[in-house]
Amino acid sequence: MKVLQIAWKNIRQNPATSILGILLTAFGTGILCVLLLTSHQLEEQLDNNSRGIDLVVGAKGSPIQLILSSIYHMDNPTGNISLAEAEKLAANPMVKLAVPLSLGDNYRGHRIVGTDSTFLQLYGLELAEGRIWQEDFEAVIGAEVAQKHRLHIGDKIYGAHGLSSEGHAHDEHPYTITGIFKPAHHIADRLVVANLASVWRMHGDEGDEDVHEHGDEHHDENHSHELAGVEEHEHHHGEQHPHEDGSSDHHHDEPQLVKSIVGDVGTSEREITSMLIQYRNPAAIGLFPRLVNQQTAMQAASPAMESARLFSLLGIGIDSLQVLAYVIMLMAALSVFISLYNALKSRKYDLAIMRTLGASQGKLFGIVIAEGILLTFVGALLGIIIGHTALYLIGASTDGTATLLETLVLLPQEAWLVVIGVAIGFVAAVIPALKAYNTSISQTLSGN
């Protein structure tokens, strides 16, 4: 019989100890797998979702909370800011692009974002079907929202207050889906996007109909042709056409935010939740945040800095769990060692007989090594399955935009988990294998 066949047969003869070694290896590998997938995907998501955003301006409070609510849409906002003040910042020559956000509601856990079409320009969004919003309470949804809830063009959805899908439902104003974004592989896939006036009116600010008729309609309808890829589009005064390098041809003193939000309507009493800023030049990195924090009632938060802080905080918990996983793997190695060592005592006569039948010392050594490797190899494979299953259960139990983790992603680093498992099995089997190698035929058969 071949070495692997003999090793597998020996493993089956000791099911209790073999299963214990497999399970310990599986749990240790499973924890490492979850940590690997989580840390890799979170870091990737943090980078993808904040790409192109140099600064977030919002109400004073926690900078991390401002970043989480405005970029990752995973927390409640720090408050509202004056639209008039936001427009003054948008007019600063250091600002290339200013994207307003008005938050407060969700659809089944997916954040409803009130904004204008500069949001599509910032995130590089394209329509898979339909058109951009043109009226109040028209919305464009992300690819994941459409797929998860089987939504189509023309369907109506109802928002609920806050981030929880169990919040108070706004039955009086349904949103009509007019478009679906192409998959973007970032946070926009999990959002419902409408104009600012819709969010204002949803929360009791009916305002002036000119907010829609002269402001959002003029800006969003014109840009819908450009962003949807329609070849026929007219040139209107105030419309910006991006160059090939991504820059706009508007004058540097004329902000994209002004007039695109409210047109001819006064903005002194209007409020938005936050504003996403893209700098015109690197000099703004040191100057603009200081200007916001010292000369306005708002705060400026850097996505790069706050994301690094957030990931460092998460890293503390990840490191602690990694220590636990390695302890479990060490226990698995000890279990495999004890299992093989004890098994040799009951099989020493079998080994001696195999020697008399012509088996070499090297073959006996190889059989024991193969047993250790098989135990931990099976455990490592089972651990990877457990890790992905655990990640799926975590994602299934998490609502909406907090579901950032993908289950069916296989990372190259996971192969190292199998290598680690095999190495543990090899090390645990070395001493029992040496004992088998040094088996004395005469002493064993004579009972000494």
Side-chain angles (χ1 to χ4, degrees):
M1 298 177 69
K2 295 182 180 180
V3 171
L4 289 178
Q5 290 176 332
I6 297 174
W8 182 247
K9 185 177 180 180
N10 290 336
I11 290 173
R12 293 174 60 185
Q13 288 178 349
N14 298 279
T17 54
S18 298
I19 289 174
L20 178 61
I22 290 174
L23 288 180
L24 286 174
T25 306
F27 285 130
T29 306
I31 293 175
L32 290 174
C33 182
V34 169
L35 295 178
L36 177 64
L37 291 170
T38 301
S39 60
H40 180 272
Q41 293 192 48
L42 282 181
E43 188 173 9
E44 189 177 60
Q45 288 281 352
L46 290 176
D47 181 62
N48 287 342
N49 293 335
S50 61
R51 185 175 293 124
I53 303 172
D54 297 314
L55 198 71
V56 180
V57 176
K60 289 190 179 297
S62 167
I64 289 183
Q65 183 180 354
L66 179 59
I67 295 297
L68 287 176
S69 62
S70 298
I71 295 181
Y72 306 115
H73 301 280
M74 295 177 62
D75 201 355
N76 293 313
T78 55
N80 290 332
I81 59 176
S82 166
L83 178 59
E85 293 297 317
E87 287 186 342
K88 291 179 182 178
L89 288 180
N92 192 291
M94 289 184 285
V95 175
K96 175 183 177 182
L97 190 67
V99 181
L101 300 180
S102 194
L103 313 174
D105 294 335
N106 78 93
Y107 168 71
R108 296 188 179 183
H110 300 278
R111 178 65 65 82
I112 297 176
V113 179
T115 185
D116 62 16
S117 57
T118 56
F119 183 87
L120 281 69
Q121 180 181 343
L122 178 66
Y123 283 99
L125 299 175
E126 298 179 357
L127 291 171
E129 56 180 305
R131 59 171 175 80
I132 198 72
W133 60 83
Q134 295 179 359
E135 305 286 343
D136 293 351
F137 301 111
E138 291 185 343
V140 182
I141 60 176
E144 185 174 316
V145 182
Q147 181 180 10
K148 184 176 180 180
H149 302 290
R150 298 181 180 180
L151 297 173
H152 303 89
I153 303 297
D155 290 348
K156 294 185 181 296
I157 59 176
Y158 292 86
H161 187 67
L163 277 175
S164 173
S165 57
E166 298 178 356
H168 170 71
H170 297 293
D171 298 331
E172 66 277 11
H173 288 303
Y175 286 91
T176 302
I177 298 173
T178 62
I180 299 175
F181 291 127
K182 291 181 180 179
H185 307 293
H186 52 60
I187 191 64
D189 290 340
R190 296 178 286 273
L191 298 179
V192 176
V193 186
N195 64 6
L196 286 163
S198 299
V199 177
W200 289 334
R201 291 180 60 188
M202 182 68 74
H203 294 88
D205 186 3
E206 294 295 334
D208 199 318
E209 289 300 320
D210 289 341
V211 170
H212 167 70
E213 292 176 0
H214 299 99
D216 286 330
E217 183 177 283
H218 176 78
H219 181 272
D220 295 333
E221 183 175 355
N222 292 339
H223 276 272
S224 65
H225 296 289
E226 176 186 348
L227 295 167
V230 179
E231 294 182 357
E232 299 177 1
H233 49 277
E234 302 173 0
H235 296 277
H236 294 269
H237 174 71
E239 183 180 351
Q240 297 127 14
H241 299 276
H243 296 296
E244 291 182 1
D245 61 357
S247 62
S248 300
D249 60 3
H250 65 286
H251 190 271
H252 72 274
D253 288 328
E254 181 183 354
Q256 290 196 354
L257 181 59
V258 177
K259 293 186 179 181
S260 71
I261 300 177
V262 292
D264 301 326
V265 182
T267 63
S268 59
E269 297 181 358
R270 298 284 182 186
E271 289 184 332
I272 58 176
T273 303
S274 59
M275 187 167 62
L276 308 180
I277 299 293
Q278 193 175 80
Y279 294 143
R280 184 176 299 280
N281 53 62
I285 297 175
L287 299 176
F288 195 76
R290 188 182 306 171
L291 180 150
V292 174
N293 291 325
Q294 295 181 357
Q295 300 184 20
T296 73
M298 299 173 283
Q299 75 164 330
S302 167
M305 293 178 58
E306 300 305 326
S307 296
R309 285 181 55 198
L310 178 62
F311 199 76
S312 66
L313 293 175
L314 292 174
I316 297 174
I318 290 175
D319 291 341
S320 300
L321 288 175
Q322 281 180 337
V323 172
L324 174 62
Y326 288 129
V327 169
I328 295 177
M329 296 289 275
L330 181 61
M331 293 174 61
L334 184 60
S335 172
V336 172
F337 167 75
I338 294 174
S339 172
L340 295 177
Y341 195 85
N342 290 335
L344 282 178
K345 294 181 179 179
S346 62
R347 298 208 311 265
K348 61 181 181 179
Y349 291 103
D350 296 337
L351 295 176
I353 292 173
M354 290 178 64
R355 286 293 311 280
T356 60
L357 295 176
S360 65
Q361 289 177 303
K363 186 170 185 179
L364 298 184
F365 181 89
I367 289 172
V368 179
I369 291 292
E371 287 183 45
I373 291 176
L374 278 174
L375 283 171
T376 52
F377 177 75
V378 172
L381 290 181
L382 181 60
I384 291 177
I385 295 173
I386 290 175
H388 283 268
T389 302
L391 208 62
Y392 171 79
L393 294 176
I394 292 172
S397 62
T398 307
D399 289 335
T401 56
T403 309
L404 299 177
L405 306 177
E406 298 181 18
T407 307
L408 301 178
V409 173
L410 287 174
L411 301 178
Q413 296 90 326
E414 291 182 66
W416 284 106
L417 298 180
V418 178
V419 173
I420 292 173
V422 170
I424 288 174
F426 176 83
V427 172
V430 165
I431 294 177
L434 288 174
K435 187 175 178 62
Y437 180 87
N438 295 321
T439 298
S440 173
I441 300 175
S442 59
Q443 290 181 0
T444 302
L445 294 179
S446 64
N448 295 328

